[in-house]
Amino acid sequence: MTRTAVYPGSFDPITNGHVDIIRRTLQVFDRVIVAVAFNPNKDSSWFSPVERVAMISDTFRAEGDRVSADSFSGLLVDYAVAKGAAAIVRGLRAVADFEYEFQMTSMNRHLKPQVETIFMVAGESHFYVSSRLVKEVASLGGNVAGLLPDNVLPRLLERARSHRPGQ
Ligand code: PNS
């Protein structure tokens, strides 16, 4: 029996923190679906869902079908059930993440009690990495090398040029 995990998020864009969580998840599950959530009516993302999925696919090309990238709109629990996932995986960095994650997990459990959520703790070198901060630093000209997969860095730097403050 193949055990599949759904790892949802905005992934705008995928960072090395996400990569770390996906690699840890692969040690426990047979397959991971990295699921880019998007809201067609409200989106201030730097990258389109198609671009975000492409960056994730490029990052995990060597893993073959153990890692797939997809996008969804609508409820995460409905998506997880439709994909036959054994669990939703979320990453935790610091205590500050816990309250938001606890609230989301409790709501998801209210919606679909049969869907479990499992938390993976990020490696400590990733505790301060988030897509939001990486974008902010890049847009202000800071160095974000090493925080993103190699294929993502040039795409982020290119996009940062159009997100400079005052533009
Ligand atoms: O990376 P993020 O932005 O912290 O991920 C949040 C995400 C995408 C997991 C969350 O917003 C989500 O599940 N969105 C899908 C819509 C949904 O199911 N909303 C109810 C969540 S309790």
Side-chain angles (χ1 to χ4, degrees), residues 44-127:
S44 56
S45 307
W46 277 24
F47 296 94
S48 70
V50 170
E51 290 173 315
R52 288 180 260 166
V53 165
M55 287 185 276
I56 297 163
S57 298
D58 286 352
T59 303
F60 288 97
R61 206 161 286 293
E63 272 68 24
D65 61 6
R66 288 197 72 203
V67 179
S68 55
D70 191 15
S71 61
F72 74 101
S73 57
L75 285 176
L76 168 60
V77 284
D78 290 341
Y79 178 82
V81 169
K83 292 292 166 182
I88 292 167
V89 167
R90 292 285 289 171
L92 284 179
R93 287 162 301 196
V95 177
D97 283 342
F98 181 77
E99 209 165 319
Y100 170 59
E101 295 298 333
F102 183 72
Q103 190 180 18
M104 271 203 308
T105 300
S106 304
M107 178 59 84
N108 286 335
R109 184 171 282 169
H110 165 79
L111 295 169
K112 285 250 184 314
Q114 73 272 29
V115 176
E116 286 299 342
T117 301
I118 290 179
F119 294 98
M120 294 280 173
V121 176
E124 60 192 36
S125 54
H126 304 293
F127 280 179

Side-chain angles (χ1 to χ4, degrees), residues 7-78:
Y7 178 43
S10 305
F11 302 107
D12 184 47
I14 186 169
T15 68
N16 283 343
H18 297 126
V19 171
D20 177 72
I21 297 294
I22 294 165
R23 295 210 184 285
R24 289 174 197 280
T25 304
L26 283 175
Q27 293 179 34
V28 182
F29 290 88
D30 303 304
R31 290 184 62 231
V32 183
I33 302 172
V34 185
V36 173
F38 72 98
N39 179 344
N41 302 320
K42 186 182 106 200
D43 211 340
S44 56
S45 307
W46 277 24
F47 296 94
S48 70
V50 170
E51 290 173 315
R52 288 180 260 166
V53 165
M55 287 185 276
I56 297 163
S57 298
D58 286 352
T59 303
F60 288 97
R61 206 161 286 293
E63 272 68 24
D65 61 6
R66 288 197 72 203
V67 179
S68 55
D70 191 15
S71 61
F72 74 101
S73 57
L75 285 176
L76 168 60
V77 284
D78 290 341

